[in-house]
Amino acid sequence: MADAKVIPFGEEPRPRRSTGPRAARAGRGQPPLRPVPPPRDRDPAAEDRDPAAGEAGSDPAEARGGSPDASGERDGGRGPQRPGGTRHRGGSGPRLRSATGQSTGDGRPGPAGGGWERKLAHGLNFLRRRLTGEYEVDEFGFDRELTDQVLLSLLRPVYEKYFRVEVRGIENIPADGGALVVANHSGVLPLDGLMLQVAVHDHHPARRHLRLLAADLVFMLPVVNELARKAGHTLACAEDAQALLERGEVVGVMPEGFKGLGKPFAQRYKLQRFGRGGFVSTALRAGVPIVPCSVVGAEEIYPMIGNARTVARLLGLPYFPITPTFPLLGPLGAVPLPTKWTIQFGEPIPTDGYSPEAADDPMLMFNLTDQVRETIQHTLYELLVQRRSVFL
């Protein structure tokens, strides 16, 4: 039985060239039949060619993102196949597939990275896991998935576009194992800690998370308490810090505390007292390096020209800032100024060469604390000399 011929929609039936008896009849006075190219969806030469060895663009089916398999189907089985390789499809234009599998109806490849369909599916899957409780938190309340997918995504535009943070010396944070990052603290509100988190996660080759030690006040505020726990913050106590360091986490501490956060603008970039050196004792017991960190730019986001102490006592706050815009402009005055930031991580100070009993030596702790403080202060002065402008 002769092979059935498939006539694509919208085309006139045309005779097919043959080399059999019909060709012989054509030689006996009948007009020769005009050669007709094969249908668009079928390349006869491709049937005898290995699809893996063909050149890109040599097969029309490959231009649509598909390839012939053992059964003769193309495009991974998309849609039913007609005899002869013609596929059922709607519309008048060709459908192309991008490298990510996304296709469009106008012949253009879909968007790279999976397009909006992939992002929508990823978002719906994320919501499903949150609603069904299919996610994990550690014993400190750190939710890694929520931090990566939501919290850091919200902070990243502020980090990149608003403060335009420049990071230096990120290689001084080890690729694995515990480390204690010690930084200066400033800016009225603790935005510098949040920017440090983004800097460590986004710029470190190992995408490490910075686990910040926060003051008691952070965990007394209703909404802030939950968000801080989810973001990996924990109470600023020696027990929690040592537990995290022994687990191989990167822990961040700002020894100035509220003294640095709420100091007057006239004392900007002058480090306050570093406490009694408790962070050094914790690093010595855990045997992890201490990484000094200097932050320039946070001092000017809220220039604090006064402190309403009476209001602060009534509200139970360590200070109540008065700036050129707050409280004069109300909520609008709470918007930080768009200063240019620089974060520099210094060379790590090793502690694994000391014995565990060294953590009880007050003179050693004093010397190491002073060394870290002087390193940060000296780096701040260097960065200020190199800075062209507060906002540029």
Side-chain angles (χ1 to χ4, degrees):
M1 180 181 296
D3 294 339
K5 178 186 176 185
V6 178
I7 302 175
F9 291 113
E11 296 185 4
E12 294 293 336
R14 298 176 178 177
R16 185 170 53 188
R17 182 174 56 183
S18 176
T19 58
R22 294 184 180 179
R25 288 197 303 269
R28 292 195 297 265
Q30 296 184 4
L33 299 179
R34 184 175 56 184
V36 179
R40 289 182 300 174
D41 293 325
R42 185 178 183 183
D43 186 359
E47 296 180 357
D48 297 329
R49 183 173 64 241
D50 184 3
E55 296 180 357
S58 60
D59 188 355
E62 293 180 3
R64 292 187 299 274
S67 59
D69 56 10
S71 62
E73 296 181 350
R74 297 182 181 270
D75 290 342
R78 290 179 52 222
Q81 301 288 324
R82 292 183 179 180
T86 304
R87 188 202 299 95
H88 292 285
R89 63 171 180 244
S92 57
R95 281 185 75 87
L96 301 182
R97 290 169 59 89
S98 67
T100 58
Q102 301 298 324
S103 60
T104 60
D106 56 359
R108 296 175 302 174
W116 65 268
E117 296 95 340
R118 182 178 179 182
K119 294 180 180 179
L120 178 61
H122 181 75
L124 293 176
N125 191 28
F126 173 78
L127 290 177
R128 179 191 61 80
R129 291 194 303 271
R130 307 309 297 185
L131 294 175
T132 58
E134 297 179 8
Y135 59 92
E136 297 180 356
V137 297
D138 64 10
E139 60 268 29
F140 297 95
F142 176 46
D143 190 332
R144 183 179 298 270
E145 182 186 40
L146 182 67
T147 300
D148 291 344
Q149 301 295 330
V150 179
L151 300 182
L152 290 180
S153 298
L154 294 176
L155 293 173
R156 196 165 286 118
V158 180
Y159 174 91
E160 295 177 349
K161 305 299 183 182
Y162 197 77
F163 293 136
R164 295 147 292 147
V165 182
E166 178 186 354
V167 179
R168 305 176 183 177
I170 192 66
E171 67 277 1
N172 290 317
I173 298 179
D176 52 16
L180 183 65
V181 177
V182 183
N184 60 305
H185 208 13
S186 60
V188 176
L189 294 180
L191 296 180
D192 50 359
L194 300 178
M195 296 300 103
L196 274 175
Q197 279 191 284
V198 181
V200 174
H201 180 268
D202 287 5
H203 292 271
H204 197 278
R207 310 282 286 184
R208 305 201 68 179
H209 285 276
L210 181 67
R211 308 293 296 272
L212 288 172
L213 303 180
D216 300 355
L217 178 62
V218 173
F219 301 101
M220 295 171 59
L221 302 176
V223 179
V224 177
N225 171 27
E226 187 68 20
L227 290 177
R229 290 288 186 186
K230 296 288 187 182
H233 302 180
T234 188
L235 191 63
C237 63
E239 292 78 10
D240 287 0
Q242 185 171 349
L244 288 171
L245 290 173
E246 291 176 348
R247 283 174 38 180
E249 300 282 355
V250 179
V251 179
V253 61
M254 298 174 172
E256 293 178 281
F258 291 121
K259 301 187 300 294
L261 198 62
K263 64 176 177 286
F265 186 68
Q267 300 181 14
R268 60 191 180 278
Y269 298 115
K270 296 180 180 179
L271 295 182
Q272 304 299 302
R273 185 170 172 267
F274 264 27
R276 301 177 181 178
F279 67 92
V280 173
S281 176
T282 303
L284 287 171
R285 287 189 169 88
V288 299
I290 301 174
V291 181
C293 179
S294 304
V295 182
V296 167
E299 293 274 14
E300 294 89 0
I301 60 174
Y302 296 112
M304 185 171 168
I305 59 178
N307 182 12
R309 301 182 185 276
T310 302
V311 179
R313 284 195 297 269
L314 292 175
L315 298 177
L317 301 175
Y319 55 87
F320 188 85
I322 298 177
T323 72
T325 58
F326 182 84
L328 181 62
L329 300 182
L332 185 61
V335 178
L337 296 178
T339 59
K340 175 72 169 60
W341 287 35
T342 301
I343 299 177
Q344 179 162 329
F345 298 94
E347 294 185 4
I349 301 173
T351 63
D352 52 357
Y354 299 94
S355 62
E357 293 79 13
D360 299 323
D361 186 350
M363 288 303 298
L364 178 60
M365 286 196 301
F366 175 80
N367 291 334
L368 288 176
T369 302
D370 189 62
Q371 179 183 354
V372 174
R373 186 179 181 278
E374 289 301 320
T375 301
I376 297 174
Q377 184 69 82
H378 182 70
T379 305
L380 288 175
Y381 288 150
E382 287 184 342
L383 294 176
L384 289 173
V385 171
Q386 299 171 8
R387 184 170 67 167
R388 297 179 302 169
S389 169
V390 174
F391 301 101
L392 299 176

